[in-house]
Amino acid sequence: LVSAMNRVQLLGRVGQDPIMRQVEGKNPVTIFSLATNEMWRTGDSEASQGALFLCTLGDISQKTTWHRISVFRPGLRDVTYQYVRKGSRIFVEGKIDYGEYTDKNNVRRQATTIIA
């Protein structure tokens, strides 16, 4: 028996206060964005691979990635909407969902969402 797993864990800062959306005929969903940062030093690997060891550690580089978070589960959805605020540092666990939608200009777009 072969099984598969779709699970993601993120620790980051909330980008804006959550909003709750009601789609006709469906349960409400709470949506917010979450920023995660990745930091590294440039030049580390080059300095250590040379014949002479250089004492420089290089410059620090950073990349911020924004994630769209959707919360559907009724209890969790309501607590998220009530208590999570912009700038809060939170841990999110969920699954990755890939979807498509048509924007207001009638252009098909792809969207990646974390379902918490």
Side-chain angles (χ1 to χ4, degrees):
L1 180 67
V2 178
S3 63
M5 183 185 299
N6 178 355
R7 180 176 168 186
V8 63
Q9 295 178 328
L10 300 170
L11 178 63
R13 294 218 180 257
V14 177
Q16 88 276 351
D17 290 345
I19 60 170
M20 192 176 291
R21 287 202 177 142
Q22 175 72 47
V23 178
E24 189 175 324
K26 295 186 178 182
N27 290 328
V29 58
T30 296
I31 300 167
F32 63 96
S33 62
L34 186 74
T36 56
N37 294 317
E38 180 181 355
M39 295 177 70
W40 67 92
R41 291 188 184 274
T42 57
D44 281 351
S45 59
E46 294 85 358
S48 62
Q49 290 175 358
L52 297 174
F53 180 74
L54 302 175
C55 292
T56 181
L57 293 176
D59 296 324
I60 295 176
S61 295
Q62 177 176 309
K63 176 184 175 188
T64 300
T65 302
W66 287 95
H67 310 273
R68 177 185 169 101
I69 313 294
S70 294
V71 187
F72 290 96
R73 193 179 323 161
L76 186 58
R77 172 192 66 216
D78 300 334
V79 167
T80 301
Y81 180 72
Q82 187 173 4
Y83 293 107
V84 172
R85 290 293 167 251
K86 178 180 179 178
S88 299
R89 189 170 186 212
I90 65 169
F91 175 80
V92 173
E93 184 173 72
K95 67 178 185 174
I96 300 174
D97 182 62
Y98 301 100
E100 289 186 353
Y101 68 97
T102 303
D103 70 10
K104 60 186 174 188
N105 297 321
N106 209 28
V107 176
R108 285 183 72 173
R109 301 212 179 259
Q110 295 182 341
T112 302
T113 303
I114 306 301
I115 309 297

